[in-house]
Amino acid sequence: MAELSRRAALLTGGAAALGALVASSPAQARALVGWNWSPSDSVAGSGSGVDPHWVWDADGDPLLASLFERGLIPRVNELLWNWERNDQALPDGLPADMRDFLEHARQLPAWADREKLEAAAEFNKARGIYLNLCNGPGGGILATAIPKEARAVYHSAGGADMEDRVAKTSRFGFSVGALNAYRPDGTCVVECVKTRLVHAAVRHLLPQSPHWRNGAAEDIPISQEDMLVTWHTLPTFAMRTMREWEVAITDDEAEAYLHVWQVTAHVLGISDEYIPATWAAAHAQSDQVLARNMGPTPEGVTLTDILLGQLAEQTSPGSVSRPMCNALARYLVGDRAADWDGIPREPVWDRVIPEAWPAVVEFREGLITAPLVPEAAWALDEAVRQYIYFYLTKGQETKIVIPTGNRPE
Ligand code: HEM
């Protein structure tokens, strides 16, 4: 582990937030380091210590496979369409095994702490612009630099309609960041449980795709390790990035923010023995799993291009240029992931954004007054706010449903 961290520092120079997360190539990293993250560092405090590369969803996967075999997915989707609130009773008519699964899956873990969840909601409100930027475009662009995820998304049904997929993901993002996320009238539990169902369906469907399969057990998508990788591109990346931007964050806020994502991980189906108990444990785990799971793919390049095109076109027509989006994405995720994703270099904006964004942060943090903020920073601030508005409202137009097939040929 220490060796890998040293390599990481040498290879990346330790500059960007992601630089600290990613070491060498996935293959090199896997050869260098096995799985040595200890379950004693998890919220469970103990566990088998099995490499999460070889663990999926022991309860959800057989259930979804069986629902597919029984031809029940369309009916289940219909029944769950209006199941939305955390406290809402399940609809009548669900198959008994599914009802049992959902009743169990919707329970918050015994270690969930209501006070911390409330504090996290306040933190999400106060720091919404940074969090939405990191978890929306930041997490989205990082996901395309994770080969297994980029390929899974591209070859699944949603890969053919990225606008809808982004909207569904934003629905999830909105529910996690909402003030009432885990209160009875919130929606986060339902969105997480539905996402867990979608992932179990993808594990059933994707191995049937000729574009995915090559017969190895490893090729069952969305292992616990894969889930952890994506998880670290969300809260861990956001926290590291905000620290790098010198956003003032108290220890209590940091702990609360970690907690809401620990609970979210649990309800998404990540096993407690892999959920980091502290930020130190999260950083150690993220250094290990991101290093062995990131890199370039043709699918990732295509998806990035689609995502950035959407961002530029749809935020508010004409107001945000594609070069600005490209440069903002590069600034967020760093050169290494940006190059893997094939994001073009932008001679003007690549120079402007690293100067303008820190001014936006300083102004928002009350460290400088408006006259000291350069013109370009206002344009950037406005673009980011428009994007976030677009991103958060998009989710209201759609719902998360279980896919019934892969990407059409
Ligand atoms: C679907 C979130 C990890 C692949 C979804 C959806 C959400 C989501 C909200 C529903 C939106 C939709 O159906 O399009 C998350 C979160 C993760 C995570 C929060 C981890 C913390 C992963 C990983 C992979 C993956 C690791 C692959 C390696 C997919 C695929 C779909 C999906 C293929 C379905 C797309 C379709 O409908 O065809 N995920 N995901 N996800 N996710 Fe994840």
Side-chain angles (χ1 to χ4, degrees):
M1 186 61 239
E3 173 59 18
L4 188 63
S5 296
R6 271 196 302 280
R7 285 178 59 89
L10 285 171
L11 282 157
T12 62
L18 182 73
L21 306 178
V22 176
S24 47
S25 74
Q28 271 176 306
R30 187 174 289 282
L32 264 170
V33 183
W35 173 253
N36 60 12
W37 191 84
S38 168
S40 61
D41 290 334
S42 72
V43 292
S46 64
S48 66
V50 170
D51 187 339
H53 189 66
W54 303 106
V55 185
W56 291 269
D57 181 344
D59 298 324
D61 296 347
L63 171 71
L64 265 288
S66 155
L67 291 171
F68 273 104
E69 276 152 26
R70 287 180 277 160
L72 291 174
I73 301 291
R75 178 72 186 132
V76 162
N77 272 335
E78 254 174 58
L79 289 167
L80 291 182
W81 183 258
N82 287 323
W83 183 51
E84 292 188 318
R85 278 173 51 130
N86 294 340
D87 64 354
Q88 195 177 335
L90 287 170
D92 289 336
L94 286 171
D97 50 357
M98 176 156 225
R99 168 173 291 275
D100 290 349
F101 172 83
L102 292 174
E103 288 298 8
H104 185 251
R106 72 187 297 186
Q107 300 303 319
L108 292 195
W111 45 264
D113 179 330
R114 287 272 165 208
E115 267 178 39
K116 281 190 192 170
L117 291 174
E118 288 297 324
E122 286 300 330
F123 178 65
N124 268 306
K125 191 168 78 168
R127 299 299 189 207
I129 189 156
Y130 308 129
L131 292 169
N132 283 310
L133 188 58
C134 290
N135 291 340
I141 300 298
L142 284 177
T144 56
I146 301 167
K148 283 179 80 184
E149 180 155 359
R151 293 190 63 239
V153 168
Y154 188 87
H155 295 294
S156 65
D161 186 352
M162 284 304 283
E163 197 171 321
D164 183 53
R165 214 192 115 75
V166 168
K168 285 174 172 164
T169 309
S170 86
R171 194 177 166 92
F172 166 83
F174 181 77
S175 76
V176 183
L179 259 182
N180 61 356
Y182 282 99
R183 288 188 204 147
D185 62 337
T187 58
C188 199
V189 171
V190 172
E191 303 299 0
C192 285
V193 171
K194 285 188 175 178
T195 301
R196 185 172 171 188
L197 296 176
V198 172
H199 287 154
V202 169
R203 291 189 196 98
H204 177 77
L205 291 168
L206 214 44
Q208 299 170 32
S209 162
H211 304 288
W212 176 266
R213 185 181 54 214
N214 72 17
E218 192 175 9
D219 282 347
I220 301 171
I222 323 183
S223 66
Q224 293 273 313
E225 176 179 16
D226 296 331
M227 296 282 296
L228 293 171
V229 172
T230 305
W231 190 87
H232 286 299
T233 64
L234 295 165
T236 314
F237 172 70
M239 187 51 77
R240 290 213 208 216
T241 304
M242 287 189 297
R243 296 276 192 215
E244 198 178 272
W245 291 343
E246 298 181 359
V247 174
I249 300 170
T250 67
D251 290 348
D252 285 349
E253 285 172 330
E255 203 178 319
Y257 180 63
L258 174 63
H259 192 66
V260 75
W261 277 98
Q262 289 167 327
V263 172
T264 301
H266 176 97
V267 189
L268 279 168
I270 299 181
S271 176
D272 284 1
E273 77 163 273
Y274 300 124
I275 301 175
T278 62
W279 276 115
H283 291 150
Q285 189 189 68
S286 124
D287 285 348
Q288 189 169 131
V289 295
L290 288 200
R292 59 187 205 174
N293 283 287
M294 295 194 73
T297 52
E299 288 92 341
V301 171
T302 306
L303 292 176
T304 303
D305 186 47
I306 296 171
L307 288 173
L308 290 174
Q310 281 175 1
L311 185 53
E313 278 165 29
Q314 294 176 356
T315 304
S316 169
S319 71
V320 182
S321 71
R322 176 66 192 260
M324 186 205 264
C325 289
N326 289 342
L328 181 60
R330 177 174 290 276
Y331 178 67
L332 274 175
V333 304
D335 282 337
R336 175 176 283 239
D339 290 344
W340 281 336
D341 280 339
I343 299 174
R345 301 259 175 188
E346 299 294 346
V348 176
W349 283 108
D350 280 345
R351 196 172 37 77
V352 169
I353 287 186
E355 285 167 17
W357 182 252
V360 171
V361 176
E362 281 181 68
F363 175 70
R364 286 185 166 274
E365 295 297 302
L367 299 175
I368 54 171
T369 52
L372 293 174
V373 179
E375 202 55 41
W378 294 123
L380 188 57
D381 187 50
E382 175 60 17
V384 167
R385 281 191 295 120
Q386 276 186 22
Y387 170 73
I388 289 170
Y389 177 76
F390 155 79
Y391 176 75
L392 293 181
T393 47
K394 208 72 194 140
Q396 292 164 13
E397 299 162 13
T398 188
K399 294 196 185 187
I400 297 176
V401 293
I402 303 170
T404 51
N406 289 316
R407 183 189 177 105
E409 289 294 318

